[in-house]
Amino acid sequence: MVEVLAEKRNLGSKDGPPHLVAVVPLHGAAAPCDAALRLLQSQDAATVRGEPGGTGFALLCPRLKQRWRFVVAQAGDLHAVLDLAKVADSLLFLLDPAEGWDSVGERCLSCLFAQGLPSFALAVPGGTDLPPKKRIDAKKRLAKAIEKRFPEAKLFPLNTAQEASLLLRQLGAQRQRPLAFRARRAHLLAYAAHFEPSPESHLVGTLKVSGFVRGQTLSVNSLVHIVGHGDFQMSQVEAPPDPLALNPRVDKGHKRSQDMDVQDDAQNGADEMEEDVKVLMKADASKQESLQSEVIPDPMEGEQTWPTDEELQEAEAALKANRKVVKVPKGTSKYQAAWIVDDEEDTEEDDDEEEEDDDMDDMMEEAASQEEEGSEEEEELAEEECETVTVSECVRDEHYDEKMEEDEEQMLERYKQERMDEMFPDEVDTPRDVPARVRFQKYRGLKSFRTSPWDPKENLPRDYARIFQFQDFSRTRKHIFRQIEKEEPEGALVGWYVTLHICNVPVSVMESFRDGRPLVLFTLLPHEQKMSVLNFLVRRHPSNNEPVKAKEELIFHCGFRRFRASPLFSQHTSADKHKLERFLRPDAALVVTVYAPITFPPASVLLFKQRSNGMHDLVATGSLLAVDPDRIVVKRLVLSGHPFKIFTKTAVVRYMFFNREDVMWFKPVELRTKWGRRGHIKEPLGTHGHMKCHFDGQLKSQDTVLLNLYKRVFPKWTYDPYVPEPVPWARDETVPLAQDVELE
C-alpha cells in the first residue's frame, strides 16, 4: 500500500515522470480536438511547451507541482492507439454529445478493452449550440449509451477553462490502474530522437532516443524492444537536461551524478560531454544480453562416431551372451552347426520380415514427403516468376467484377468448409486412386484418446532444433519475477530523463517517428529475445463473422510485441493431448499455437486478420497461456463406412476401404459408430474393400461406422516481426456493438 501511494504521488511530480495522457477522439463528428486541447492549455499559471515532433504538448503547473504530457492519437490509426495505450498513464476519450462514439470508436474500444485499459476519463466537448432543454436530454441519452461500456463512469463537459481545470484535477487524482505486462519492464515514450548512420551503410546506424523512464529501473546491459521494429542492444545511457522541469534552475544532471558514478568519455577523456550531457553508464560486454534468438542446429550431432574401447568391450560381451547351444549329430563341424536353425530363430526371421515391412513404410513416407517438397519448390518458383505491375484506375474498374467474383468464390468455399466441418467433424473421404495405407501412413490409431500414451519427444520437426525450451517454465518465471521485486539493479531510475544509444537500428524507425507515429520502447526480461512455442488462450470476437481457418496468416498483438504468424487451433482441455481444430470456433475458447519470442505471462493478445484492402479486422482476443513446446496437438481423421448386411452382432461394412490390403492394414484399429457402438474388424471379404466387423451390439441400418486416425501436427515457422501499417478504418461502416471482457 505504501509503494502504491508513493508511486501515485511521484507521478507527474518533479521527481517522477510527467503524467502521460493519450487523447483519443471516438467520433468523427465530435468537436474539433484542437479546441479541446486549447482549453487544456489555457490554465492559469501554467506553462505550455510543444513537442519536437508536433504530436502533442506538455503542460507544466508549478503552483500545483504537477506536469502533464498530452499526446493525440486518432481512433482510426490502430497501431498508434494501441502503442500509446501500452505506455500511457491515462486515456482521455473525447465523445460526441449526441451519439458518444461511432463505428470506428467502437472498434477502438474493443481493442483497448482486450489489450488492457489503463486509467481513463470521458470528456464531452461541444454541445453548447443545443437549447438548454435539449442539453439535458442529450446528456441522459449519452449516459445511457455509455453505461454498458463504462459502468459508473463520470462524464466531464469540456467547454470552458474551468471545466478543463476540473478534468485535469480528475486525471491527476484518480486511481491508477496497473497493466501487468508493463509493470515489470522499464519502458518509455520517445520525446525526441536522432539518427546517426553507421560508416558502413546509411541504412543502419545508432538511434538516440530521449524520454522519461517508467515502470522499472532501466539497465544498459538489457535488451530493448522497439514496438513494431524488433529487439536491439544499447551502447550507453546519457542524462541530458530535463526539458520539462518544473524548476529549470535546478540542474538535475549534477544531482544524478551524485547518485551514480559518471563514466569518462573514451575518446577525449573529458569528465563532461557537450551541452552538460552526462554519461550515466556504458554497456559491459561481459554482462550484456545477447541478441541470439535461435539455436544453430548442428547437422552432425546425430551422426555415428568411432566406437570407444568400452563400447567395443560391451559389444563383445553381448555377442558372447547371444551364443546358443544347439544339439547336432556327432562329427558335425562348427561351420555346419552354424547352419542348423531351431524354432527360436524361426521367430527371429519373422521379426526381420516385419522390420523390412517397416523399412518399406519409411521409404514410402520419404517418397511422399519428397513429392510434397517438390510441389512446394514449384510453387515458390512460380511465385518468383511473378512480378508486380502498376495499373491505372480505369483498368482496375474494368476488372473490379472479376476480382470481386474471385474473392466471393473463395469466401463461399470457406463458408462451405466451415459448415461441413461443423456437420461432419474431421470426416474425410477415402481416396480411390491411392491406397489408404499410403495416403494415411503418417497416422496411427489410439485405443483411447484420453489415456493412450504419446511421447512428446517423438518425431520432432527440424524447427524444434532452433527453439529454446525451459525445464520448468513456471519456476523460471517465478524466479525472474522474484528477482525484480527483491533486487535493485543498477541503472536509470523511474522518472529520469535519459537518452538511450541503440545500436544497429534501421533508418525506417526514424522515418516512422518523423511521420508522427509514436516511438515506444520496452526493456526485455531475461530469455525474452529467444524463440520458442507460445500457446495463447483466445475466444472469437463477437464482431467477427467470417470463417478463420487454421494455418492462415494472422497478426498478433501480444503484450508489447506485434508480429505475423500462421497459427494452429486446438481444444483447451486438461488432458495431455489436444485435438486440432480446423476453424476458429465462435462458441468455445481455443488455444492458438505459434513460433514466437518468449514472453512471460501475464500478457494480453489480440488477433487481427488483414483484408485485401489493407485494413485489419479483430477476430479474437485472449491472453498468453504458457510457453510449452511439449504441448501435443493431434490432428484427427475420421474414415466412414456404411453397413451393408447386418446380423446379430456382426455386420458387413463397405465404402470405408476399396481393396483387401487396406482392410488388413487397419485391422488392429478399433471401430465406433455414431450411435455409440464399438467394435473391430474381423476379416476382409472379397477384394473390393468389404469387411466383416464385430460390434458390442446390433447395428441400425441408418448408423455409420467410423474409424479414427491421429497424427501430431506442428506449427509452421512463419514468424515475421514486421507488420505493415494498416489502412485506417472507415467511419461509414457499421459494427455490431458487443460487451467486451477487459484484461489487465
Side-chain angles (χ1 to χ4, degrees):
M1 185 64 182
V2 178
E3 296 178 356
V4 174
L5 186 59
E7 183 180 355
K8 181 179 179 181
R9 289 176 177 174
N10 289 333
L11 183 61
S13 64
K14 63 177 182 179
D15 296 328
H19 194 126
L20 181 58
V21 181
V23 183
V24 183
L26 295 179
H27 199 287
C33 184
D34 295 338
L37 297 180
R38 282 195 297 269
L39 287 174
L40 295 174
Q41 297 173 8
S42 62
Q43 299 298 309
D44 297 335
T47 304
V48 180
R49 294 183 182 177
E51 290 194 0
T55 57
F57 66 93
L59 188 63
L60 309 178
C61 298
R63 182 172 60 85
L64 300 176
K65 297 181 180 180
Q66 287 286 322
R67 51 180 180 171
W68 289 272
R69 182 185 175 190
F70 292 87
V71 183
V72 183
Q74 297 299 324
D77 193 348
L78 173 65
H79 286 178
V81 172
L82 294 180
D83 290 349
L84 286 176
K86 289 179 175 68
V87 295
D89 299 312
S90 301
L91 296 180
L92 179 57
F93 295 117
L94 301 183
L95 308 180
D96 182 70
E99 299 180 5
W101 55 80
D102 54 10
S103 60
V104 174
E106 173 68 25
R107 296 187 180 189
C108 177
L109 290 176
S110 297
C111 297
L112 290 175
F113 271 84
Q115 178 178 268
L117 194 66
S119 303
F120 64 90
L122 305 178
V124 186
T128 55
D129 52 343
L130 296 176
K133 293 183 179 180
K134 291 186 177 181
R135 292 181 195 173
I136 299 176
D137 296 338
K139 186 176 181 180
K140 290 181 179 179
R141 289 195 302 269
L142 183 59
K144 188 176 180 180
I146 69 171
E147 186 176 357
K148 291 184 178 180
R149 278 286 189 188
F150 306 99
E152 301 180 0
K154 185 178 179 181
L155 291 173
F156 290 88
L158 191 56
N159 298 313
T160 62
Q162 184 178 3
E163 293 173 345
S165 178
L166 292 176
L167 179 60
L168 285 177
R169 289 180 179 272
Q170 170 66 17
L171 290 173
Q174 68 181 354
R175 173 180 171 271
Q176 293 297 312
R177 307 174 67 180
L179 297 182
F181 70 87
R182 74 180 185 186
R184 296 183 176 92
R185 300 171 178 88
H187 54 276
L188 62 85
L189 176 65
Y191 183 81
H194 176 67
F195 182 79
E196 292 184 357
S198 63
E200 293 81 7
S201 174
H202 65 281
L203 300 177
V204 179
T206 301
L207 182 65
K208 299 180 180 180
V209 181
S210 301
F212 294 90
V213 180
R214 302 173 183 272
Q216 295 288 336
T217 303
L218 190 147
S219 174
V220 70
N221 293 320
S222 61
L223 298 180
V224 63
H225 175 79
I226 303 178
V227 177
H229 299 281
D231 304 334
F232 304 94
Q233 289 180 330
M234 293 180 286
S235 59
Q236 68 182 32
V237 177
E238 300 174 350
D242 189 349
L244 305 180
L246 288 174
N247 189 0
R249 290 175 296 179
V250 178
D251 188 0
K252 285 192 174 182
H254 295 290
K255 182 180 178 181
R256 294 175 187 173
S257 62
Q258 298 174 2
D259 298 335
M260 294 190 71
D261 294 330
V262 180
Q263 301 183 11
D264 295 336
D265 193 342
Q267 292 182 352
N268 52 23
D271 294 337
E272 295 182 356
M273 297 182 66
E274 297 180 0
E275 300 178 356
D276 297 332
V277 176
K278 305 293 187 302
V279 179
L280 293 180
M281 59 192 116
K282 290 187 176 182
D284 187 356
S286 61
K287 299 180 180 179
Q288 194 172 26
E289 290 282 345
S290 172
L291 281 173
Q292 181 183 3
S293 61
E294 301 177 16
V295 179
I296 301 176
D298 185 6
M300 303 297 293
E301 185 177 1
E303 292 295 325
Q304 177 68 36
T305 57
W306 188 260
T308 61
D309 295 337
E310 295 179 357
E311 292 176 345
L312 290 174
Q313 293 176 3
E314 291 177 0
E316 187 176 354
L319 287 174
K320 291 180 180 179
N322 292 332
R323 289 177 181 174
K324 297 180 181 180
V325 178
V326 183
K327 292 183 179 181
V328 297
K330 291 183 179 180
T332 306
S333 64
K334 293 183 179 180
Y335 177 78
Q336 292 174 336
W339 286 94
I340 298 177
V341 181
D342 57 358
D343 296 336
E344 295 180 0
E345 293 185 1
D346 290 339
T347 58
E348 291 179 0
E349 289 180 0
D350 296 338
D351 295 338
D352 293 339
E353 292 178 359
E354 293 180 0
E355 292 179 359
E356 290 179 0
D357 294 339
D358 295 338
D359 295 338
M360 289 294 295
D361 296 338
D362 295 339
M363 293 174 61
M364 295 174 67
E365 289 184 6
E366 293 179 359
S369 62
Q370 289 177 359
E371 292 180 359
E372 294 178 359
E373 292 177 357
S375 61
E376 292 179 358
E377 292 178 356
E378 292 176 1
E379 292 178 0
E380 292 177 358
L381 290 174
E383 292 178 357
E384 293 176 357
E385 292 175 358
C386 298
E387 61 180 4
T388 304
V389 180
T390 304
V391 297
S392 60
E393 291 294 333
C394 59
V395 178
R396 288 199 188 100
D397 294 337
E398 291 176 359
H399 296 284
Y400 174 79
D401 292 337
E402 298 178 2
K403 185 178 180 181
M404 288 299 296
E405 184 178 358
E406 182 181 355
D407 294 343
E408 288 181 357
E409 287 180 357
Q410 294 178 357
M411 187 59 64
L412 181 61
E413 183 65 25
R414 288 184 181 178
Y415 276 116
K416 288 182 179 179
Q417 292 178 2
E418 185 181 27
R419 180 61 176 166
M420 290 296 293
D421 190 59
E422 291 178 0
M423 296 175 61
F424 308 100
D426 303 323
E427 287 193 30
V428 296
D429 295 330
T430 305
R432 306 194 64 173
D433 54 344
V434 180
R437 62 186 182 279
V438 177
R439 170 62 180 85
F440 307 119
Q441 59 186 344
K442 295 183 180 180
Y443 292 81
R444 69 180 69 174
L446 294 178
K447 179 69 175 177
S448 172
F449 182 81
R450 185 178 61 87
T451 61
S452 296
W454 198 306
D455 187 5
K457 305 297 184 182
E458 175 187 357
N459 293 334
L460 297 179
R462 287 186 175 270
D463 290 335
Y464 264 54
R466 303 166 57 185
I467 65 174
F468 291 84
Q469 183 178 4
F470 299 96
Q471 290 184 353
D472 191 338
F473 175 73
S474 60
R475 185 179 63 183
T476 305
R477 171 179 170 270
K478 290 179 182 178
H479 176 68
I480 292 176
F481 288 175
R482 195 180 299 113
Q483 283 184 337
I484 296 175
E485 295 175 358
K486 293 183 179 180
E487 299 181 3
E488 295 182 1
E490 297 181 356
L493 300 180
V494 176
W496 288 9
Y497 183 77
V498 297
T499 298
L500 309 180
H501 290 236
I502 307 175
C503 307
N504 300 324
V505 179
V507 69
S508 59
V509 180
M510 189 63 195
E511 293 175 352
S512 175
F513 181 71
R514 288 171 181 167
D515 294 339
R517 301 191 178 279
L519 185 59
V520 179
L521 285 75
F522 277 84
T523 58
L524 300 182
L525 299 179
H527 311 297
E528 284 195 328
Q529 79 278 15
K530 301 173 182 176
M531 296 290 292
S532 188
V533 179
L534 271 62
N535 301 304
F536 305 97
L537 181 61
V538 303
R539 187 177 292 272
R540 188 167 172 175
H541 196 262
S543 64
N544 177 260
N545 297 321
E546 297 181 359
V548 181
K549 197 173 182 180
K551 298 183 181 180
E552 186 176 356
E553 185 181 78
L554 298 178
I555 298 171
F556 289 74
H557 288 246
C558 174
F560 54 89
R561 293 185 185 272
R562 61 170 176 259
F563 55 88
R564 292 185 295 175
S566 300
L568 294 179
F569 302 142
S570 60
Q571 294 179 352
H572 179 50
T573 60
S574 59
D576 60 340
K577 296 180 289 295
H578 311 274
K579 192 176 80 70
L580 176 75
E581 292 289 344
R582 289 175 170 80
F583 291 90
L584 187 63
R585 300 294 183 187
D587 55 347
L590 298 180
V591 176
V592 176
T593 303
V594 292
Y595 290 111
I598 295 171
T599 303
F600 291 101
S604 60
V605 62
L606 287 76
L607 271 63
F608 292 88
K609 184 178 178 181
Q610 185 170 351
R611 296 187 193 174
S612 57
N613 58 2
M615 296 178 62
H616 292 180
D617 291 335
L618 181 64
V619 297
T621 61
S623 60
L624 176 60
L625 182 63
V627 179
D628 185 13
D630 287 341
R631 190 176 192 273
I632 301 176
V633 180
V634 177
K635 180 181 180 181
R636 184 182 71 173
L637 283 186
V638 180
L639 304 181
S640 58
H642 302 276
F644 177 49
K645 295 179 182 180
I646 300 175
F647 302 98
T648 306
K649 286 191 176 182
T650 59
V652 178
V653 180
R654 60 179 178 178
Y655 300 147
M656 182 178 289
F657 304 110
F658 298 99
N659 57 71
R660 185 184 183 91
E661 291 77 9
D662 288 344
V663 177
M664 295 299 296
W665 181 267
F666 292 99
K667 184 178 178 181
V669 184
E670 186 182 16
L671 301 177
R672 67 178 182 88
T673 69
K674 289 189 175 181
W675 286 28
R677 296 297 181 188
R678 292 185 176 274
H680 60 274
I681 302 173
K682 291 187 66 177
E683 58 182 355
L685 299 177
T687 59
H688 291 78
H690 291 202
M691 55 188 182
K692 190 176 185 180
C693 305
H694 184 273
F695 296 92
D696 56 359
Q698 189 172 11
L699 297 186
K700 302 293 183 181
S701 59
Q702 62 270 31
D703 204 350
T704 305
V705 182
L706 305 176
L707 184 142
N708 294 339
L709 298 175
Y710 302 94
K711 179 187 72 170
R712 185 179 179 184
V713 292
F714 302 90
K716 292 184 178 180
W717 194 289
T718 56
Y719 172 78
D720 186 2
Y722 174 71
V723 178
E725 294 293 335
V727 176
W729 288 323
R731 293 191 177 271
D732 55 350
E733 295 186 4
T734 58
V735 179
L737 299 181
Q739 185 70 18
D740 297 284
V741 179
E742 181 183 353
L743 298 175
E744 293 187 0

